[in-house]
Structure formats: C-alpha cells, structure tokens
Amino acid sequence: AQSVTQLGSHVSVSEGALVLLRCNYSSSVPPYLFWYVQYPNQGLQLLLKYTTGATLVKGINGFEAEFKKSETSFHLTKPSAHMSDAAEYFCAVSDSGGGKLTFGQGTILTVHP
Amino acid sequence: DTGVSQDPRHKITKRGQNVTFRCDPISEHNRLYWYRQTLGQGPEFLTYFQNEAQLEKSRLLSDRFSAERPKGSFSTLEIQRTEQGDSAMYLCASSSLRGGLPRYEQYFGPGTRLTVT
C-alpha cells in the first residue's frame, strides 16, 4: 500500500522568503510523485511531477521538487514566495499503472506581506 | 481544450434523498477518476474508469454509491439514501493514454460540493 505524509499542516512565510513544503512517501514499487495546488473552492492544479529521469523537477510558478529515493522524500521548494502562492498544497503518489493517486493531508501555505 | 467540467457545482439535499453528479472529462481522455475530499483532508480515491470499464473501486465506495461511464465519455456518480457523512467535495479527474501507456498526470475538475442536511 502507498502512503504520503506531509509534515506541517500549516506553513507561514514572509513574502520573498524561501518556501519549503515537506513530503515523504511510502511505496512498494517505484513511485510516481506529484504536487498539486488547490485554491479555495476550486479543484486541484498540477504543479509538477516526477516519473523517471532527472530527480530535480521544475514546475509552474517557479516551484521545483527533488526526488530523493534514499530519504523517500519529495519536498517542494520555491526560492521567493509571492502573495499569490497562498493556497493549500498536496503531495501525491501513484503506482506504475497510472491508476489512483494517494494524497497527503495537505499543507496550507500562508504568505505575509 | 476546455478542461474537466462537473455539474452541479453545489448540491444541498436532505438525508435519505438520492443525488447524481456528472463529470465531463477532457476530450479524448481515456481514464476518468472520482475522488472525495472532506474538510481539512486530502482527496481520497473512490473509483476509476478506462473508457467504459470500471477498473478499480475503493472500499470507501459503499453499496449506496454507484458510478457509470456508459459510452466512455462522461461519467455519473450516484449516491443513494444520502447520509450526513456523505457531505464532501466530490472531485473528478481525467488522464490520457499515449501509445497504450498511461500518462500519469491527472487533470481535475472544479468539484461538486455536497451538503446533506
């Protein structure tokens, strides 16, 4: 069975500061990893994904994440936070069959002026 | 490409009533997924289709829940005899196959928020 743990249900940063959202996964097969963002009362938008190849992946809006197999982690970072980044972020894992996603519980990012 | 659409966006119903939600995936996407999201939680998988075939169902999907995708295009999710615990956001997503292999990214619709009173 797969699982995802997001450390920290709430993260608060100042505008311009580094954003770091943590995600650890458990999977019995090579994982496919995703970060999604959700704005209030909206669906989820894909930020970035790791399937195979380069372990550092870049996504939209300046976000990136690094797959570290030895640490079973896929942390999301952004060098400089913008007010518009305030939202809820979900890490998810999928098996190799392209079936269901298993999501973490989410991290709410607050950005202060 | 108009994205995944869901209808209705909001539904308020009384306990014991039946409700049906519709999802229209991105055109030509073979796979369609249903998830449920309760307040403060991540989405939980309910079921998914490849074309018209239902390939997997979660244990969360009780006998009161049924999903169909009759022509391999849109899908419906019906909840019979609704309970207050069914109150949640119901999300639909779709993904495509390329060369017979799945593309892993799923594209989500805006969701249907169900409130059972």
Side-chain angles (χ1 to χ4, degrees):
Chain A
Q2 299 171 313
S3 66
V4 174
T5 302
Q6 292 184 238
L7 299 176
S9 58
H10 290 81
V11 170
S12 181
V13 299
S14 298
E15 193 173 19
L18 172 71
V19 175
L20 171 60
L21 305 183
R22 300 178 187 273
C23 172
N24 288 88
Y25 69 91
S26 172
S27 177
S28 58
V29 298
Y32 296 85
L33 296 159
F34 306 83
W35 275 99
Y36 283 85
V37 61
Q38 186 176 35
Y39 297 97
N41 298 314
Q42 295 187 25
L44 282 73
Q45 180 183 10
L46 180 67
L47 278 178
L48 49 79
K49 67 180 187 289
Y50 169 79
T51 53
T52 57
T55 56
L56 180 64
V57 293
K58 295 185 184 300
I60 62 172
N61 300 338
F63 285 94
E64 62 183 36
E66 186 171 12
F67 169 60
K68 292 187 176 180
K69 184 178 178 181
S70 61
E71 298 177 7
T72 61
S73 69
F74 191 57
H75 301 330
L76 182 71
T77 61
K78 181 174 181 178
S80 176
H82 295 164
M83 297 295 291
S84 61
D85 295 327
E88 189 162 18
Y89 292 79
F90 293 94
C91 182
V93 62
S94 176
D95 63 20
S96 58
K100 66 182 181 185
L101 292 172
T102 300
F103 286 87
Q105 291 196 315
T107 298
I108 296 173
L109 176 66
T110 302
V111 182
H112 296 289
Chain B
D1 189 348
T2 58
V4 179
S5 61
Q6 294 187 245
D7 183 72
R9 294 290 307 276
H10 303 274
K11 178 70 175 179
I12 300 174
T13 191
K14 293 185 177 180
R15 187 163 49 102
Q17 298 294 305
N18 298 344
V19 294
T20 300
F21 309 140
R22 176 179 170 126
C23 171
D24 286 88
I26 293 172
S27 179
E28 298 181 356
H29 272 196
N30 310 83
R31 291 192 168 183
L32 187 149
Y33 310 78
W34 286 99
Y35 294 85
R36 181 172 67 188
Q37 185 179 23
T38 53
L39 203 61
Q41 301 295 318
E44 294 176 300
F45 170 76
L46 293 178
T47 188
Y48 87 95
F49 295 83
Q50 180 165 309
N51 299 314
E52 62 274 9
Q54 190 171 20
L55 296 189
E56 187 175 350
K57 291 195 299 185
S58 165
R59 285 173 293 177
L60 293 174
L61 212 63
S62 76
D63 291 344
R64 297 185 298 105
F65 288 70
S66 62
E68 295 183 337
R69 194 182 183 198
K71 297 183 179 179
S73 56
F74 72 91
S75 175
T76 58
L77 177 68
E78 180 182 18
I79 309 174
Q80 297 182 326
R81 305 181 303 281
T82 53
E83 302 172 355
Q84 287 190 324
D86 297 332
S87 296
M89 175 79 87
Y90 290 83
L91 294 165
C92 177
S94 68
S95 69
S96 64
L97 296 176
R98 180 174 291 180
L101 297 175
R103 292 178 60 81
Y104 301 100
E105 56 267 37
Q106 296 179 21
Y107 296 90
F108 282 79
T112 293
R113 181 167 296 282
L114 173 66
T115 302
V116 181
T117 62

